[in-house]
Amino acid sequence: MRAINHALTGAIIGLASGNVWVAAPAAVASHFALDVIPHHNFKGESMHRPIFFKVLVLDFIFCMVFAGLLFYWRPNDWPLAIVCAFLAVAPDFMWFPKYKRAKNGHHPVEHTGIIRFHHDIQWFQRPIGGVVEIAWFFAASFMLYAVIHYSWF
Ligand SMILES: [Zn+2]
């Protein structure tokens, strides 16, 4: 999934839980749960293409704006929400060496361990997956609004 959807989901977990010991591992776990869902991406070999970098930058800007909104709104447990948003995005930082290799024109290395697991669970990554991303974005935004404005817990 795109980083903004991971961040929204992590923030919801942080706000709904309010407990760092529950929310932090759940936020990290949510990353892998969301990656199983069909989602947007380009093929791995296209990491060196300018569009890939532009989408990464746009995604980063969305995440920064979202963190800024949480800081501005300051709902209960907003610092935990920001930490959980970051933790929910963080597993994708393991792709940085792969991105750097592709950008420098080096051949990709074979995935092992957690990187292989992270790669293999993402069975559907295509541009059309953007439809799922948009649906998730709006559903998560609604859920975030509900968690902030209505206290069920
Ligand atoms: Zn991922």
Side-chain angles (χ1 to χ4, degrees):
M1 282 260 183
R2 305 268 34 131
I4 185 61
N5 279 330
H6 286 301
L8 280 165
T9 306
I12 290 166
I13 291 167
L15 292 171
S17 161
N19 179 330
V20 67
W21 303 109
V22 173
V28 173
S30 78
H31 182 97
F32 299 102
L34 262 63
D35 271 355
V36 174
I37 300 169
H39 58 274
H40 176 270
N41 210 347
F42 307 101
K43 292 222 177 263
E45 305 79 53
S46 66
M47 282 181 126
H48 62 280
R49 288 173 45 203
I51 184 71
F52 186 88
F53 183 70
K54 287 176 185 169
V55 170
L56 274 187
V57 169
L58 189 66
D59 215 4
F60 177 76
I61 291 169
F62 282 160
C63 289
M64 290 298 103
V65 168
F66 176 54
L69 286 172
L70 285 172
F71 180 78
Y72 177 74
W73 291 331
R74 295 182 187 226
N76 286 342
D77 298 313
W78 67 269
L80 180 60
I82 291 177
V83 168
C84 287
F86 176 79
L87 289 173
V89 173
D92 274 346
F93 294 145
M94 74 175 70
W95 298 124
F96 184 72
K98 181 182 179 183
Y99 172 73
K100 198 151 169 56
R101 288 186 67 79
K103 191 139 180 75
N104 292 334
H106 299 299
H107 292 292
V109 292
E110 192 169 331
H111 301 307
T112 56
I114 185 71
I115 296 176
R116 183 174 184 158
F117 169 77
H118 193 176
H119 175 268
D120 289 352
I121 61 171
Q122 300 184 78
W123 61 277
F124 188 98
Q125 295 186 90
R126 306 272 187 284
I128 190 66
V131 174
V132 176
E133 301 266 5
I134 290 167
W136 192 275
F137 177 84
F138 284 106
S141 297
F142 173 76
M143 193 67 192
L144 184 79
Y145 177 86
V147 167
I148 289 173
H149 292 279
Y150 305 101
S151 181
W152 298 313
F153 306 99

